[in-house]
Amino acid sequence: MSSTSSTPGSAAARGPRVVIIGAGIVGCSLADELTARGWSDVTVLEQGPLPAPGGSTSHAPGLVFQTGPSKTLTAFAQYTVEKFNSLEVDGLSCFNPVGGLELATTEERWADLHRKAGWAASWGVRGELVSAARCKELWPLVDESKVLGGFHTPDDGLARALLASRAQMTRAQGRGATFLERHTVTGIEQEDGKVTGVVTDRGTFPADHVVSAAGFWGPVVGRMAGIDIPLLPLAHQYAKTTPLPALEGVNDPRTEASKPILRFQDRDLYFREHTDRIGIGSYAHKPLPVDPFAVPGYDAARAKNMDMPSSYPFTEEDWAPSWEDCRWLLPVLRDAEIEEGFNGVFSFTPDGMPVLGESRDLRGFWLAEAVWVTHSAGVAKAVAEWMVDGRPSIDLHECELTRFEDAQRSPAYVHDRGAQQFVEVYDVVHPLQTMEQPRPLRVSPFYARQQELGAHFLEGGGWERPHWYEANAHLAADVPERDAWAARHWSPIAAAEARVTREKVALYDMTPLRRLEVTGPGALGFLQRMTSNNLAKKPGAVTYTLLLNESGGIRSDLTVARLAPDRFQVGANSPADLDWLLRHAPGDVQVRDITSGTCCIGVWGPLARDLVQPLTRDDFSHEGFGYFRAKETYLGHVPVTAMRLSYVGELGWELYTTADLGLRLWDTLWEAGQEHGVIAAGRSAFNSLRLEKGYRSWGHDMTEEHTPYEAGVGFAVRMDRGDFVGRAALEALPEQPRRKLTALLLDDPAAVVLGKEPVHVDGAPAGYVTSASYGYTLGRCVAYAWLPPLEPGTGVHVEYFGEKVPATVAEEPLFDPKMTRIRR
């Protein structure tokens, strides 16, 4: 069997052949989005019956809460609400906008709801904090005496997932798409690294593109394609009560609910109405992993007395504590019982985000996995744009399949972190909070020395990263006290480490920063095409440059050192950078990741030269080793690649060597630095210093949604040379950007914000904070924010836990504007 062939002359009009695996809410949404863009040769294969095939969509309670810490996920949810509101089946809307209500029964949660209200203002979601009395008005069954207050979002609501699937299926079929039920995928055909078709138990379907939208079966499909999909299926308890007299005649059976979705996150519970019953979901139980390779098909599940493959038997013992918590909050349930319940299976990833994008190893094989109903239409739109236009219209770096390090792809890691994501789904999570297992996983060669110095480690990308060192506690000076939230994962020792960096010299472990090596006769030409600055310089030159997409958005920022005519070392940000370069590298260029085999120490401070120069015969003077230059040399017994760079605004070098010599390098520098008062300093001080200097952090301060001129890095674009990716888009930009990454100084010397807070201009939300840290040199908290263009001196307010904190737009750079401290 094969997909319907096009008549001569019509193939181009129908677009490439696309096979989508899975007709749940994601597959149906994607078929609709693709066909709306003119790709009508779309076949959707489903192993179960349509329109309710038995995956997660078939049992989903349909909660859509738009607000969260991720701007991208919020955008997905916003589009899902907008789209499903516009869809109808048999006169019934696919979305019931009953709103959402999150309750606080503890002071910690009440504070967190203030933070969540800030996210809503930052991302453009309507929401308000309400009193306990108002919570009672919105949900009369709640015991008001247990509630401190709530967060009400009137545009949230209930997605009718199966109806939305049907509506989009019908629209896609009207544009030429084909939906086939009871077709079990058994293989993925490929040739020369390109997908060519999908094999099923009822025939083979040729394809130019294959999209896995198989939900918790994603790892099964991935294995067929030879692609690891870091996804863990977990069972989640959902129950319905017996009919409640208090709801008799209240709700229309067709719409089922009239009250907001209720979340009682202090006990990991949520509630929604089912006409005269209440449905209850619980995350309070232990993680219940499900092996995706052992999940039965639809008919096999029915034979085992399961309603559907995604619906496992209800485990009463896990439910009992939650039932008591339900009755505590909703007294009406004290006379009710649980009429039915099940453990529904759905997907978690190690970081709680979807897995999206095209595999580099198997071109044409796409993933749209670990997507909840909440984000389904938004994800489908982004993936369709990616497939048809070559790029999505919003930044997806948090969701790209390339974001995971190799160490984060092991089945054990995916299991441990996926299970922890389930445990923490309703927790109050600090932005610096890291998971406890598995740790330590990746450590630099200096790890033992850092432990001896009392390093306080946080984790990122699997790496243990020192944030401050208890050995420096005796250096701590008076700094403003912080509120309890801002004081988490922070120490005043960071202020001492920043001061020593400004006054003497400090060692920073920069090993976790990604390092790539680009070699070959075509290396220069390749990097010139891929990046925005001019790299055609003599060996020894270091250049700050940007990776742009075709629309001029910032994919990443790089530091490129030309070490030889055909050898470059590239300082990059994430595995996605390596993937991007490998996708585009010609045959005469080799790109490889050298991070794990190397290490790096940043030696920074006014005494950095005094420390380093005696260790080498090479000239490290300003005249002999200028700023943004590189030199291969020896420090003591250790061969190093030294680059005169500074991310903290002070004189110094990044010193690279192989991992086996890393400890010797640390000890050499440490011993030589004792007479100069050297210390080890952590990322907390580092972040403060880089913000005082105005250095951007990709992924926080700027992403693909921003152009270089908006982000204040236009100096890294050279338009007076040949073509490069994104150049045409930059040429077409308006002369004045509509927004700018703006430096703010908080007016109150004791005030601190942490990031993602809304910024109010003239009393209304106008943007949001990207990065923030106390500037110990400046005596003020520094915050960078995306805002409309504003003149320095303009007063604004940053909303921090509901309080409007005054701040002032500042002239950049805030510290050492003439660069005298670096160039000396």
Side-chain angles (χ1 to χ4, degrees), residues 489-552:
H489 308 292
W490 172 84
S491 168
I493 295 172
E497 294 176 358
R499 189 187 73 249
V500 172
T501 307
R502 291 274 188 244
E503 297 176 356
K504 295 181 180 180
V505 62
L507 305 184
Y508 287 82
D509 182 2
M510 306 302 289
T511 301
L513 299 186
R514 183 164 304 278
R515 292 170 291 285
L516 311 177
E517 184 179 72
V518 180
T519 58
L524 175 60
F526 167 62
L527 289 172
Q528 286 281 74
R529 289 191 303 275
M530 296 303 297
T531 71
S532 63
N533 212 332
N534 184 18
L535 307 180
K537 303 171 183 176
K538 294 179 180 180
V542 183
T543 306
Y544 177 80
T545 187
L546 307 171
L547 285 179
L548 304 178
N549 62 22
E550 293 288 352
S551 62

Side-chain angles (χ1 to χ4, degrees), residues 656-675:
Y656 299 89
T657 192
T658 52
D660 58 324
L661 290 166
L663 189 58
R664 184 61 178 263
L665 177 61
W666 179 280
D667 289 345
T668 299
L669 294 168
W670 186 258
E671 182 179 347
Q674 292 308 302
E675 64 179 290

Side-chain angles (χ1 to χ4, degrees), residues 298-625:
Y298 188 90
D299 293 326
R302 301 286 285 185
K304 294 181 178 180
N305 294 319
M306 296 167 59
D307 289 338
M308 61 187 83
S310 61
S311 177
Y312 276 60
F314 194 62
T315 48
E316 295 280 357
E317 64 278 10
D318 295 316
W319 176 256
S322 291
W323 185 229
E324 292 305 310
D325 290 333
C326 294
R327 290 170 156 174
W328 180 82
L329 181 70
L330 305 176
V332 69
L333 297 182
R334 291 170 188 164
D335 297 323
E337 299 295 336
I338 295 301
E339 187 171 73
E340 57 180 301
F342 65 94
N343 290 359
V345 183
F346 62 142
S347 305
F348 284 80
T349 58
D351 60 5
M353 300 295 286
V355 181
L356 312 177
E358 182 186 20
S359 168
R360 187 186 75 253
D361 297 323
L362 182 57
R363 298 185 308 279
F365 184 77
W366 294 78
L367 299 181
E369 296 291 6
V371 182
W372 296 5
V373 171
T374 303
H375 311 116
S376 55
V379 164
K381 177 175 181 279
V383 173
E385 291 172 337
W386 206 344
M387 295 175 70
V388 176
D389 303 327
R391 59 188 178 275
S393 60
I394 66 171
D395 171 62
L396 296 183
H397 81 272
E398 294 177 310
C399 307
E400 287 194 40
L401 65 95
T402 55
R403 70 188 183 270
F404 293 109
E405 305 279 352
D406 289 343
Q408 296 173 306
R409 291 180 171 273
S410 72
Y413 186 96
V414 172
H415 176 278
D416 291 350
R417 288 293 172 97
Q420 191 62 27
Q421 287 292 337
F422 179 92
V423 170
E424 294 182 358
V425 71
Y426 275 175
D427 285 1
V428 176
V429 178
H430 192 276
L432 291 177
Q433 182 175 323
T434 54
M435 293 192 175
E436 294 305 315
Q437 296 296 332
R439 290 181 63 189
L441 182 61
R442 306 175 79 186
V443 298
S444 78
F446 328 126
Y447 183 65
R449 298 292 184 264
Q450 292 165 344
Q451 287 180 304
E452 292 168 3
L453 293 170
H456 180 86
F457 292 99
L458 297 179
E459 181 262 354
W463 288 100
E464 294 298 318
R465 301 182 177 194
H467 273 242
W468 66 85
Y469 293 85
E470 289 296 330
N472 299 324
H474 67 286
L475 301 172
D478 290 335
V479 292
E481 290 188 7
R482 294 192 174 197
D483 65 270
W485 182 255
R488 289 191 193 180
H489 308 292
W490 172 84
S491 168
I493 295 172
E497 294 176 358
R499 189 187 73 249
V500 172
T501 307
R502 291 274 188 244
E503 297 176 356
K504 295 181 180 180
V505 62
L507 305 184
Y508 287 82
D509 182 2
M510 306 302 289
T511 301
L513 299 186
R514 183 164 304 278
R515 292 170 291 285
L516 311 177
E517 184 179 72
V518 180
T519 58
L524 175 60
F526 167 62
L527 289 172
Q528 286 281 74
R529 289 191 303 275
M530 296 303 297
T531 71
S532 63
N533 212 332
N534 184 18
L535 307 180
K537 303 171 183 176
K538 294 179 180 180
V542 183
T543 306
Y544 177 80
T545 187
L546 307 171
L547 285 179
L548 304 178
N549 62 22
E550 293 288 352
S551 62
I554 304 170
R555 280 194 59 91
S556 188
D557 62 341
L558 310 176
T559 303
V560 181
R562 191 175 193 184
L563 302 179
D566 59 356
R567 179 165 63 93
F568 296 80
Q569 182 171 310
V570 178
N573 284 297
S574 77
D577 297 343
L578 173 65
D579 182 83
W580 180 253
L581 293 175
L582 286 172
R583 287 176 188 269
H584 292 87
D588 62 346
V589 174
Q590 294 76 49
V591 182
R592 68 188 188 98
D593 191 328
I594 61 171
T595 309
S596 297
T598 57
C599 59
C600 178
I601 299 174
V603 183
W604 291 311
L607 301 183
R609 184 176 288 116
D610 298 310
L611 190 161
V612 175
Q613 182 63 81
L615 299 173
T616 179
R617 295 180 179 180
D618 284 310
D619 185 1
F620 270 56
S621 70
H622 182 61
E623 295 72 24
F625 197 156

Side-chain angles (χ1 to χ4, degrees), residues 9-23:
S10 67
R14 287 175 54 78
R17 297 168 299 180
V18 179
V19 174
I20 299 172
I21 300 171

Side-chain angles (χ1 to χ4, degrees), residues 29 46 53 91 190 225 274 282 297 310 393 419 454 489 522 642 679-680 701 761 774 788 812:
S29 296
E46 174 52 58
Q190 51 187 288
H274 291 279
S282 172
S310 61
S393 60
H489 308 292
I679 65 165
D701 300 317
V761 178
Y774 198 86
E812 288 193 83

Side-chain angles (χ1 to χ4, degrees), residues 105 198 223 233 257 263 319 331 351 363 541 558 565 585 587 709 763 783:
T105 61
V198 177
R223 181 176 292 183
R263 289 209 280 191
W319 176 256
D351 60 5
R363 298 185 308 279
L558 310 176
Y709 309 115

